[in-house]
Amino acid sequence: MSTQEIAKVAAADVEPNRRRGGELRVVLGPKTAGATTGFLGVLTMAPGDYVSEHYHPYSEEFLYVVRGTLLVRVDSQPVELSAGEGLLVPINARHSVRNTTGEQAEAVFHLCPLAPRPELGHVDTEALPRPDEAQPGVGATR
């Protein structure tokens, strides 16, 4: 029997992060569910919205489009993802996400393993679209 408690979390109950673009909600992570190896979330993007370029020095990122179409740039290479398609972004690969269509898009993302400390997990490489917005914590345990 597991010593970790079962965690069920609704995306609507998680504080959104809009600082880097789009609307990101970490649904299952250290803060929301006591996760110890990675985190999973939902990205919602309005038409024309984008997530600024960044990279993860410790984590791979898995991105799966649930609705709509997204244009992901990985180390400057464009990759179009439609609903039902997924993409693996390697550790240290610079990447950004754009909704270049006229409809809302939604994707699920998962990053693992976790960085040794939350502030080391994400490195921005371009200006943020909403730098003054608060950034909800990912790494603090619940």
Side-chain angles (χ1 to χ4, degrees), residues 44-102:
T44 305
M45 298 186 76
D49 208 355
Y50 69 97
V51 173
S52 58
E53 185 187 80
H54 61 282
Y55 67 93
H56 308 284
Y58 295 92
S59 308
E60 293 178 320
E61 182 169 352
F62 301 82
L63 186 65
Y64 178 80
V65 177
V66 176
R67 180 170 46 128
T69 301
L70 294 172
L71 179 64
V72 184
R73 293 188 88 66
V74 181
D75 286 334
S76 300
Q77 180 180 347
V79 180
E80 187 175 277
L81 291 177
S82 297
E85 295 180 325
L87 178 69
L88 171 63
V89 178
I91 292 173
N92 283 322
R94 290 179 178 224
H95 57 286
S96 62
V97 182
R98 291 188 180 276
N99 182 348
T100 59
T101 72

Side-chain angles (χ1 to χ4, degrees), residues 1-3 17 21-24 27 44 72 75 78 96 100-101 103 107-108 118 128 131 134 137:
M1 179 175 283
S2 173
T3 57
N17 183 344
E23 181 179 284
L24 294 112
V27 180
T44 305
V72 184
D75 286 334
S96 62
T100 59
T101 72
E103 65 180 65
V108 173
L128 304 180

